[in-house]
Amino acid sequence: MAIHITIRGVPEEVRNELAARAAKRHQSMQEFLRLELMRIASRPTLDAWLEGVKDRKAAAGTTVPVSEILRARDADRV
């Protein structure tokens, strides 16, 4: 079942920008915002993503020494 969401206090310039983006995609503002909300909700939060990175790093059991990272960084600057 679909849920209705109301957002109050949106500045006019923000509303106008969102309307322009929706129009560029040939979408209604409602469809544009619904799809944007679904896209946002489908992505992990930054904290969840970082936790996944930490878990994968721990599972791999490998580390790169700081000196190696700095050497690679400096090699790109030459």
Side-chain angles (χ1 to χ4, degrees):
M1 180 173 170
I3 303 297
H4 296 267
I5 297 174
T6 301
I7 301 173
R8 292 180 174 79
V10 176
E12 187 175 350
E13 59 273 9
V14 172
R15 183 258 174 230
N16 292 344
E17 177 61 28
L18 293 171
R21 291 181 188 190
K24 274 187 166 180
R25 294 185 187 177
H26 305 287
Q27 296 173 327
S28 67
M29 176 102 84
Q30 178 177 330
E31 181 68 4
F32 174 79
L33 292 174
R34 186 180 70 79
L35 291 171
E36 285 297 298
L37 289 171
M38 291 170 61
R39 182 184 63 80
I40 291 167
S42 71
R43 299 178 68 184
T45 64
L46 179 57
D47 289 339
W49 182 81
L50 287 172
E51 193 61 38
V53 169
K54 289 177 188 175
D55 291 346
R56 287 189 299 279
K57 183 178 174 186
T62 60
T63 59
V64 178
V66 172
S67 60
E68 182 66 20
I69 294 170
L70 294 176
R71 187 194 62 71
R73 180 202 63 186
D74 293 342
D76 284 345
R77 294 184 176 180
V78 176

